[in-house]
Amino acid sequence: MSPDVPERRGGVPRRRRLLLKLLALSVLVSACSVAATAWLTAHVTSVAIRQTQGQTLTDDAHIYDTLLGYAATHHDWRGVAATVRRLARGTGHRITLTDQGRHTMVDSGAGATHVPLPAQASATVNPLSVDGTPAARADAGDSGHTGGEPATAAGGSPAPCSPNARCLPDTRSPSPAAAPGTDSAVPAAPSAIDPRAVGPFLLPAAERADLRGVAQRTAACLRDQLNVSVRVDTTPSGRPVLRPARSGLYPPSACAATALSRPTRTEAHALHRLSGLVNACLSRRGAPPVRLNLDDSWTRSAPGTARGEHVVADCVEGARREQLAPYVAPPALLFVSSPQRAPVAFLDLSPGNLTRIAEVTGLVILVTLTVTALAGTRMVRPLRALAGAARRMTEGDLAARAEVAANDEIGDVAVAFNSMAERRERSEKLRKAMVNDVAHELRTPLSNIRGWLEAAEDGLAVPDNAFLTSLLDEAVLLQHVIDDLRDLSAADAGELRLRVRQVDLAELLGQVAAAHRGTAQAAGVALVTAVEGGAVVAADPVRLRQAVGNLVSNAVRHTPAGGSVTVTGRAGGARAVIGVTDTGAGIGAEDLPRVFDRFWRAEKSRNRQTGGSGLGLAIVRKLVEAHGGTITATSTPGEGSAFTITVPAQP
């Protein structure tokens, strides 16, 4: 393998394997999809749950407020059935009203009377003691009553000006009960009585009409003189009140109408009775009397304390309940349930949910495509490099290599490709060299034969015994090269047939030494054999003798006069070892790995004195491998070389 082609050892690390990368990519895409689906489902479900819970709370608050308004404007529950049925149809809930003893008064679930009521009531409907629980659970900003009506004091008059219900400051004059020289009026305390419970403060039609006319004239005056936009609202008692269109303070003007702040005949009568109830309560508790105003504030007749104001507030609240009790329905228990309501489909295909699904799906697809494109690009880039290198090699560029640095299976393929390209380039060089060598080896004897024949034809050479001997030597050399090439071709094709049998190693090596002793003596080289007695080898005697003979011939040829060639043989266990050692010039370390290559020679000049075609050692290796053995070579320049053959001792 060429030095510029890296070799992998131990395979691809586990974390670098392409399969694991693909699995990791699949897991990443799946995780993104699952996470997006889970988030989308959780988000849509939580939104649906909040919407459902909000709708349920809104329905409960609406039912409670409607029934509370009914109780505040009716003195009993006899006509509430129609209202309950309407609410049940609108909300899909079962609505049940019972008295304090849990005796059913109205039940919208006509076919579910056998279903027991819950242990705890949803709320207590009592306009004189409003249960804030349903309203508190409703949406923020719900004032506790419907219809957009402004909150009023117990007497049905407008409540004092506040940030949530502002009055125009010049439309209200001091309360008639607040006489000059007395303390200022104490504002009314927060009340638990429903503002729609007005009782005796409810204005008759004539008084309503008079007050509304005054309110409309005042509003028109304010628009004309102060350019102030106001609206005329009506309280549950029927009294009109002016509300500014936007917040702010406005200076007094001639538009002020005292009639809007003075009690009417009906209100004065009800206020007088309420004041009597309040002062009777204060008298019982040892507190001085007060003057009650239309807005439920009061004016002290003597300096008061914080405790005294608390006593007055308790008496005012109690007096209002006593006064309103005959005008409102008695307390009732409200039960709201949904036993037959269809389950809510949290993942409904509403336009909003469809938009969310489309957005999340698009995001997941975008992320998946991005990740896949990045991963695919990283995987395809080395494949493109491999394809480009293969095309260049196909076009004849044998030096083409795949520049791939990946440490995975694709990297392994690139390394294998580069190794193959290196081997192919080297094989091509060897093939060209072999063709040149074959042409040279065949050309020399053929040229000699042709030269001798042309000389004889021209009468320049006498065809005597010496002439024929020369022609025979060249023909034998030519036949030898052809036979070597044929043997190599048969070995490469796996068609080299062996006739294996038990061969006496001493006898076989003796035959080889006898065949080459004459050549060795002529070259001045001593040929020595040393074989352990009784050594037997399983081999084809002809082919094994050919292999050892090639080694001996090669050793004699490269050993100078006075040197020696030693042939040894021994058998031990299942293997037999044959060694051929010479004292020649030796082979350099850089050339030693190539001694078994075809047509390779340490002497590049092709000197005929050394002879040989460069195929002998290549044939030796093929013959040894055909026997299932191995051959190795060691050499020290200037000292000689040693070749060792190892073959099976048993068939």
Side-chain angles (χ1 to χ4, degrees):
M1 183 178 291
S2 174
D4 61 343
V5 180
E7 182 178 3
R8 284 187 197 272
R9 300 292 183 184
V12 180
R14 185 180 300 275
R15 66 180 184 278
R16 296 283 188 176
R17 292 181 181 174
L18 184 59
L19 177 60
L20 292 181
K21 290 183 178 180
L22 294 176
L23 291 177
L25 178 62
S26 301
V27 170
L28 178 61
V29 173
S30 301
C32 291
S33 302
V34 171
T37 303
W39 177 87
L40 178 62
T41 303
H43 178 72
V44 173
T45 301
S46 61
V47 170
I49 290 174
R50 287 197 300 270
Q51 292 175 346
T52 303
Q53 291 176 340
Q55 183 62 43
T56 300
L57 295 177
T58 302
D59 291 344
D60 292 349
H62 174 62
I63 293 170
Y64 173 77
D65 187 73
T66 302
L67 295 178
L68 187 65
Y70 182 91
T73 55
H74 296 78
H75 65 279
D76 57 30
W77 295 100
R78 284 182 294 182
V80 77
T83 302
V84 170
R85 286 194 294 270
R86 176 173 55 82
L87 291 173
R89 287 194 301 270
T91 61
H93 296 288
R94 177 189 175 188
I95 304 173
T96 305
L97 276 176
T98 71
D99 58 18
Q100 296 285 58
R102 299 176 69 94
H103 298 101
T104 302
M105 295 186 297
V106 180
D107 190 350
S108 65
T113 55
H114 63 282
V115 179
L117 295 175
Q120 184 177 0
S122 302
T124 299
V125 183
N126 183 4
L128 301 183
S129 180
V130 176
D131 185 353
T133 302
R137 292 182 301 186
D139 294 338
D142 192 340
S143 64
H145 57 277
T146 59
E149 298 170 343
T152 61
S157 60
C161 295
S162 65
N164 294 327
R166 295 183 60 89
C167 304
L168 288 176
D170 62 340
T171 65
R172 297 177 60 85
S173 62
S175 173
T182 62
D183 293 337
S184 60
V186 178
S191 175
I193 300 175
D194 189 275
R196 289 166 292 188
V198 295
F201 288 89
L202 183 64
L203 299 179
E207 293 181 358
R208 291 187 186 188
D210 291 342
L211 289 176
R212 188 162 189 83
V214 173
Q216 290 175 345
R217 288 192 297 274
T218 302
C221 177
L222 290 172
R223 284 193 297 269
D224 295 339
Q225 293 189 13
L226 299 181
N227 196 26
V228 175
S229 177
V230 296
R231 70 178 187 272
V232 179
D233 290 337
T234 303
T235 65
S237 67
R239 168 176 282 276
V241 63
L242 298 180
R243 305 288 184 188
R246 58 182 180 272
S247 61
L249 297 177
Y250 307 99
S253 68
C255 298
T258 57
L260 290 179
S261 58
R262 284 200 310 266
T264 65
R265 183 187 301 274
T266 301
E267 291 173 334
H269 179 71
L271 185 61
H272 177 72
R273 185 170 182 276
L274 179 61
S275 297
L277 294 173
V278 171
N279 287 326
C281 173
L282 293 175
S283 176
R284 289 192 298 270
R285 302 179 65 171
V290 297
R291 294 175 182 174
L292 198 64
N293 302 320
L294 185 60
D295 60 358
D296 287 342
S297 63
W298 63 85
T299 305
R300 295 184 296 269
S301 59
T305 62
R307 181 180 180 279
E309 291 179 359
H310 179 71
V311 171
V312 175
D314 287 346
C315 286
V316 170
E317 186 77 2
R320 289 186 60 202
R321 287 195 178 95
E322 183 179 352
Q323 184 184 35
L324 295 175
Y327 297 92
V328 299
L333 299 180
L334 173 63
F335 297 87
V336 180
S337 58
S338 305
Q340 298 178 350
R341 192 169 188 178
V344 178
F346 290 144
L347 195 59
D348 61 299
L349 297 180
S350 61
N353 286 342
L354 287 176
T355 301
R356 293 188 191 94
I357 293 173
E359 291 175 350
V360 174
T361 302
L363 179 61
V364 171
I365 292 176
L366 179 61
V367 172
T368 302
L369 290 178
T370 302
V371 173
T372 304
L374 293 176
T377 301
R378 290 177 60 88
M379 294 180 184
V380 170
R381 188 183 296 116
L383 294 178
R384 289 178 177 172
L386 279 170
R391 282 194 297 269
R392 293 196 302 273
M393 184 173 290
T394 302
E395 293 169 358
D397 182 8
L398 298 181
R401 299 293 183 271
E403 300 296 333
V404 177
N407 192 20
D408 52 18
E409 285 85 348
I410 297 179
D412 272 356
V413 173
V415 170
F417 176 86
N418 290 338
S419 177
M420 177 194 69
E422 179 69 18
R423 291 175 182 273
R424 181 170 182 244
E425 184 179 15
R426 188 167 68 245
S427 298
E428 183 66 17
K429 292 179 180 179
L430 292 176
R431 183 188 66 81
K432 292 180 179 179
M434 183 183 70
V435 171
N436 292 333
D437 290 339
V438 170
H440 182 273
E441 295 297 334
L442 295 180
R443 184 187 299 113
T444 300
L446 287 175
S447 298
N448 291 337
I449 293 173
R450 179 180 176 183
W452 284 108
L453 292 176
E454 288 178 351
E457 184 181 20
D458 294 338
L460 300 177
V462 179
D464 54 8
N465 291 334
F467 177 85
L468 295 177
T469 301
S470 298
L471 291 180
L472 180 60
D473 290 341
E474 296 299 334
V476 169
L477 178 60
L478 181 62
Q479 182 64 44
H480 181 67
V481 173
I482 294 174
D483 290 343
D484 287 346
L485 290 174
R486 183 187 62 190
D487 290 340
L488 285 174
S489 177
D492 290 338
E495 298 177 354
L496 191 61
R497 293 181 174 83
L498 301 179
R499 295 179 175 82
V500 180
R501 61 185 178 84
Q502 291 293 330
V503 178
D504 184 272
L505 193 57
E507 180 182 352
L508 184 140
L509 296 182
Q511 294 174 355
V512 173
H516 292 83
R517 184 163 283 110
T519 304
Q521 290 176 352
V525 177
L527 181 58
V528 181
T529 60
V531 182
E532 296 180 1
V536 178
V537 64
D540 183 331
V542 176
R543 293 299 185 181
L544 185 58
R545 186 165 54 247
Q546 179 184 358
V548 178
N550 284 355
L551 291 178
V552 172
S553 174
N554 188 68
V556 170
R557 194 162 50 246
H558 291 87
T559 301
S564 64
V565 175
T566 303
V567 182
T568 61
R570 60 183 176 83
R575 312 296 288 180
V577 179
I578 302 172
V580 177
T581 306
D582 63 60
T583 58
I587 305 171
E590 68 279 3
D591 293 328
L592 193 61
R594 303 186 59 189
V595 295
F596 296 107
D597 291 346
R598 300 176 186 183
F599 295 107
W600 181 87
R601 292 178 179 178
E603 175 59 48
K604 303 299 190 295
S605 64
R606 299 183 181 277
N607 190 342
R608 268 297 168 195
Q609 293 179 355
T610 60
S613 62
L615 298 175
L617 293 180
I619 293 175
V620 171
R621 183 177 63 176
K622 290 293 184 180
L623 292 175
V624 172
E625 291 176 351
H627 281 84
T630 59
I631 181 171
T632 59
T634 59
S635 181
T636 302
E639 297 182 6
S641 304
F643 292 84
T644 303
I645 296 175
T646 303
V647 292
Q650 301 294 330

